[in-house]
Amino acid sequence: MIAPDFTALVEQLRSLNGLHAKRDIQVPAAVFGHHPFAVLGEASRLGDDAAVVPAQGGSLLLACEGMHPELVNDDPWFAGWSGVLVNLSDIAAMGGRPLALVNSVWSAGEQAVAPLLAGMRFACDKFSIPMVGGHTNCQSPYTALSVAVLGVAEGPVLSARAAQSGDLLVLLIDGDGRFYRHYPFWDAATTAEPSRLQSQLALLPRLAQAGIARAAKDISMGGLVGTAAMFAEACGLGIRIDLDAIPRPPEIDELAWLSSFPSFGFLLAVSSGQLYSLQKMVSGHPKLICASIGSFAADRRGVGLRRNEQTQQLWDGTTSLTGFGAVASP
């Protein structure tokens, strides 16, 4: 006969919230593949405490993005999609290729988390990058999402700090898109063919390995001009942008274009002697706009905007922007 106190103990253990909460993992487990790197054998199946990824021979790159709460609540599918996309852009901006993603998601139930997972899965499939793990909590009073990516740079790293005085500032952007709903997001990706997206993403590592680009920044929520300010802060140089040299799609408002967050958009530091090589390599990607729009100089600071022989300072460079300037202390 089983002792009553033993039965009571087992019942208490069965009812532990920490045990039942593990069922939340079933939700992403039903969405993402379980064996992304089958060549590594059974140990690489998902479900352990960490994912196993293939060994690499270059510099490892690690990035993370948290999605804005308003976007998560208003358009969770697009938030999931964007969580993957922005991380892949961060790796490309460093001259790397992505290896694998992880996510952390909180929601008030399976129904709330489903579109987030669907958006992430859609992006993973488009770019052929596996989601290999993360954290899921479906018992949360709010919905939130963050995504992280591991990548590798097998050639030179395109650090924004590597720009040199005299370099050209080059815009590289996919202009074949549209603004997504009421957001400042220039979407040239959700309806694009996977092969096009993957070849565009692979272009940045090729530019790094060929020595064509010296430094890069992906255009983020600050738009083109805000990203230029972060670029200038990182390298400790001044940037002057010629507004009239910036191409934009027909009928798109200039302010909207300059402040947009594109699905594929980068600022590059390129020596003048490499501009032709850059344009030649980009010519194989007909949807991409490639234009020299300014320059870097050591005798000025911040970011200046030029039009019709007039220049106005956007950011003077005397105040910290991100805190990660060229002479910032650790």
Side-chain angles (χ1 to χ4, degrees):
M1 182 176 180
I2 299 177
D5 56 343
F6 180 34
T7 300
L9 174 63
V10 173
E11 285 299 321
Q12 288 178 312
L13 292 173
R14 282 194 187 118
S15 65
L16 285 176
N17 183 62
L19 176 62
H20 290 280
K22 297 302 180 183
R23 293 192 175 98
D24 290 350
I25 301 172
Q26 295 178 24
V27 183
V31 174
F32 300 107
H34 293 188
H35 206 181
F37 302 111
V39 69
L40 299 181
E42 288 299 297
S44 66
R45 285 189 179 275
L46 303 190
D48 277 312
D49 292 331
V52 178
V53 299
Q56 303 297 319
S59 300
L60 291 178
L61 305 171
L62 187 64
C64 178
E65 295 280 353
M67 293 295 98
H68 196 286
E70 289 185 10
L71 180 61
V72 170
N73 291 325
D74 180 55
D75 198 331
W77 184 93
F78 194 73
W81 156 268
S82 299
V84 170
L85 182 63
V86 295
N87 273 286
L88 302 185
S89 294
D90 286 342
I91 296 299
M94 298 292 286
R97 62 179 178 86
L99 299 172
L101 297 140
V102 295
N103 68 84
S104 291
V105 61
W106 293 262
S107 74
E110 294 185 20
Q111 185 174 357
V113 80
L116 290 168
L117 296 172
M120 287 189 282
R121 174 61 191 267
F122 183 76
C124 288
D125 289 346
K126 279 268 192 178
F127 289 94
S128 192
I129 306 298
M131 185 71 70
V132 300
H135 169 84
T136 304
N137 183 339
C138 295
Q139 320 300 320
S140 169
Y142 56 85
T143 303
L145 172 67
S146 65
V147 182
V149 63
L150 178 69
V152 61
E154 291 151 327
V157 174
L158 297 181
S159 169
R161 299 177 187 276
Q164 295 183 12
S165 182
D167 282 348
L168 301 176
L169 179 70
V170 177
L171 171 66
L172 184 63
I173 189 169
D174 191 333
D176 186 27
R178 64 191 184 283
F179 281 106
Y180 182 81
R181 297 182 57 201
H182 58 284
Y183 295 108
F185 304 143
W186 181 255
D187 176 22
T190 54
T191 60
E193 288 296 321
S195 58
R196 168 183 154 191
L197 299 179
Q198 293 171 29
S199 65
Q200 287 180 350
L201 200 67
L203 179 60
L204 275 296
R206 290 177 58 208
L207 294 175
Q209 291 173 344
I212 293 174
R214 198 192 314 272
K217 280 290 255 185
D218 73 303
I219 300 174
S220 57
M221 279 300 294
L224 188 159
V225 292
T227 301
M230 291 189 288
F231 211 154
E233 183 181 43
C235 66
L237 301 171
I239 292 177
R240 179 168 293 170
I241 299 174
D242 183 357
L243 293 178
D244 293 324
I246 300 175
R248 68 178 187 272
E251 301 181 0
I252 297 299
D253 177 75
E254 184 178 35
L255 176 60
W257 185 243
L258 293 176
S259 57
S260 69
F261 188 164
S263 58
F264 182 95
F266 298 86
L267 294 179
L268 310 177
V270 179
S271 70
S272 57
Q274 292 287 359
L275 182 60
Y276 174 76
S277 297
L278 171 63
Q279 293 170 334
K280 185 176 180 180
M281 188 172 286
V282 174
S283 66
H285 302 266
K287 302 298 183 181
L288 295 184
I289 295 170
C290 179
S292 176
I293 63 170
S295 60
F296 295 81
D299 62 353
R300 54 181 182 254
R301 301 187 67 180
V303 176
L305 304 180
R306 185 177 179 84
R307 167 162 285 162
N308 298 328
E309 305 303 320
Q310 296 183 329
T311 300
Q312 292 198 30
Q313 202 75 353
L314 175 81
W315 174 65
D316 64 12
T318 61
T319 57
S320 177
L321 187 64
T322 69
F324 286 108
V327 295
S329 301

